[in-house]
Amino acid sequence: MTHEDHVLRAQIEGEQRHLRTLYERLDALRGATAGRLAAASRENGGTPQARSERDAAVARHAERLARLEAADDGLCFGRLDLRDGGRRYIGRVGLRAEDDEGDPLLIDWRAPAARPFYVATALAPEGVRRRRHIVTRGRRVVDLDDEILTRPQPPGRAEHGSAVNGPVDGTPSADSPPPATAAEDRFTGQGEHIPLVGGAALLAAVSAERTGRMHDIVATLQAEQDAVIRSGHRGVLVVQGGPGTGKTAVALHRAAYLLYTQPRLAAGGVLVVGPSAAFLTYIGRVLPGLGETGALLSTVAGLYPGVEADRGESLAAAEVKGRAEMAAMVAAAVREHRTPPVGGITVEAAGERLLLDGPACRRAAGRAARTGLPYNRARQVFAREVIADLARRLAGAARDLADRLEADIADVLAESGVREAIRADLAAMDGVFDRTGDQGGPGDLLGAADVPALERELRHDSGVRAAIEALWPALTPQRLLEGLYADPSRLERAAPGLTPAERALLVRAPGGGWSPADVPLLDEAAELLGEDDQAARARESREHARRVAYAQGVLDIAAASRGGGGAPYAGDGPSGPGGADPLGGTGDVLTAADLIDARALAERHHSSSPATVAERARADRTWAFGHVIVDEAQELSPMAWRMLMRRCPGRSMTVVGDLAQTGDPAGASSWEQVLGPHVGDRFRLVRLSVNYRTPAEIMTAAADLLAAISPGTPPARSVRRTGVRPWRVRTTAAALPTVLAELAAAETAAGGGRLAVIVPQARASELGAAVAEVVPDVSFGPHPDLTRPAVVLGVRQAKGLEFDAVLVADPARIVAASPRGRNDLYVALTRATRRLGVLHAGPPPPEIARTITERRTVPE
Ligand SMILES: Nc1ncnc2c1ncn2[C@@H]1O[C@H](COP(=O)(O)OP(=O)(O)OP(=O)(O)O)[C@@H](O)[C@H]1O
């Protein structure tokens, strides 16, 4: 054993001792927190305030416990030795000694004191002398990697050598970071350097076999990533970066950072938007692993409660639905529903036929519209106006009738000579009829005081309800859109700016569910329509009455069980019939009924299952999030942006994406274009420039394609080479499925990690089935299991994911399938961490013909 080995072993033993102390403290804190949680859950405070305090305490302890549990794996990963002799350990949570004296035992990675661990360089050491990465397995220290932050030295003089290869492709951008330190220089190569920290730990992380689930990167975050995560920018922060630059990782760590540093955000929660359900599963463990539960992960299509947007539709239809002018279409469709008929309408009410004429309809509609309320709430105003009008008409009609009757009687009396006798009879009836009406005349049978009663009656009259429904129908977003899509003439009126062919793409019969592109339109409609909260209020009051009745029943049973005698459960308490109280004593036992009345019990029952912020947010379309993070943001259509902005009125957003990867025809070509309508130019743009996923060989293979898609954009610089060059194999169209299956089988048999076969979206089922014939453990379909050794994915499904090896099939079809087909191919080529192969029928797309070498034989 060399001297260095002895030194390293001694150092590891020292770290192991400290780690033991940390875990003892963690275990003690976990035990204490679990105890507090159990005690708080048992609390029985009767007043509403006591209950809400108890619920808050339960939530607080549960959250703390989740953080402590999550910290177990990789509790401590770093140490800083400071120039002033101080020392800081960096880890997943902050820990203090039991007596709370002295320096913290462990500093949370998000705390300001941890920042130098990620950003200190020899040129800007931030008071750091040595940065140590501590590599652990379970609760054991297995390796250490030190960087001494001294003055820059010639390349190759790092303390610990690292096998990370130099960056290779691309040119340094104008905003390249400052020169490298001694330790950083091991990443340099081909005349440029990438200033990176934690060489060995980083190399291990980026080269590790993929598991089908994303992991956090707290131990190896790099300075440019750290700057994004800790950015204090309060508005919209846009993070643009090429494939594998850690945008997703950074976005998730920023969510964890914000939830930790801004507790006020936790109340509104953080929304993380991703491109697909598979992607959300892929990233789903990162935030819980960092101890954060306050984030809701969703696709845009999943953000409309109660709608499962799984209907397929053409890219062309989705593109039209994503355009900003669809907002005007929806608004026009809503307006059309409240345009009253010119000639008015005849209403059968209270046994009368009344004409609600055109001016009256327009008057009522005008008053309702002027309130500025959403459609369904303005409808309530309209209905009130119409009913008031009808009541006045009915009262007037009754008065007219009475007047006519009186006149007729007067005529008869004048001629018949019995006038005096009848007048006497009428006078006698004075005391019987109410004659307090505003006219005050003897024939005034219905006065102003009767009108409210009439209105009440009319409100429930089926004829009146039918008339209001005809004039201003109650609408749900679903009903509105179905009606619009089903009626070409209505579509033409609502969207005159579309061509007939574009409108034809929208036409469809009602029913059959919703597509992802429909969701922002439904949301737009919901915003304009508003909820008819009368129905919701009635529902809530019925529900409340039900809860009180249920609680009363519970209390009745409790009282009966206590009363003995004839009560059905007499003496049958928790300790069994006639049994003793397990805590001793047989005296009076307080029951629930002594402590609480039915109403209070009902409230308690209602709030006794507190949902997490994320769960409540998911169920509420109008939820306002404290912060919204959008991943693969280039894919969002203008309509989707409108929807997201409504969810984030504070405009506190982190938007990460890569314009060169935009695959959705409705997606973005520039950040100014998509964000301008919402925040003008008030957003900050930062760039990530280093690719941690894709080795240099693969980035070179994709270089011509990137140049064609986005001329002048420098490729992200890869942190490593693998020495494995991408290849392509040519076959015939007929043989492609069979050859693909053989290649997939050979790749999985080689056992080099997880394989993704990425195919044209339209061929996903066909080629998935072909591969499944020879690779039984393959997963494919709408919900692929990414943890399997092999998956077959349509190119859209592959967005944001990564695999050890990738086979791309039929690239020409991928390119031809969409106006942004080349971007799709670029995404497919940049998913692999190690090996890339391409199978094509006929000539390959020109953008890869030069950069990927053809093989004559199927590779071993
Ligand atoms: N600092 C880091 N340390 C270790 N691994 C990292 C680091 N940064 C990124 N990675 C890893 O690099 C891979 C790519 O990261 P990520 O998926 O976040 O990139 P991306 O920019 O979102 O990629 P794409 O746009 O191509 O989907 C992931 O495996 C991630 O864990």
Side-chain angles (χ1 to χ4, degrees), residues 18-59:
H18 187 70
L19 194 66
R20 207 168 297 125
T21 311
L22 293 179
Y23 273 110
E24 278 164 14
R25 185 73 189 118
L26 180 73
D27 290 342
L29 281 172
R30 277 209 302 226
T33 310
R36 274 188 217 115
L37 176 60
S41 308
R42 284 195 297 271
E43 289 274 318
N44 264 331
T47 67
Q49 190 187 344
R51 285 198 303 276
S52 87
E53 278 167 12
R54 186 230 20 216
D55 288 349
V58 167

Side-chain angles (χ1 to χ4, degrees), residues 210 220 225 243-249 632 661 693 802 831:
R210 282 355 197 204
T220 53
Q225 299 174 324
T245 48
K247 297 182 297 298
T248 299
E632 304 289 346
Q661 294 184 55
R693 173 197 303 135
E802 67 183 19
R831 297 305 96 197

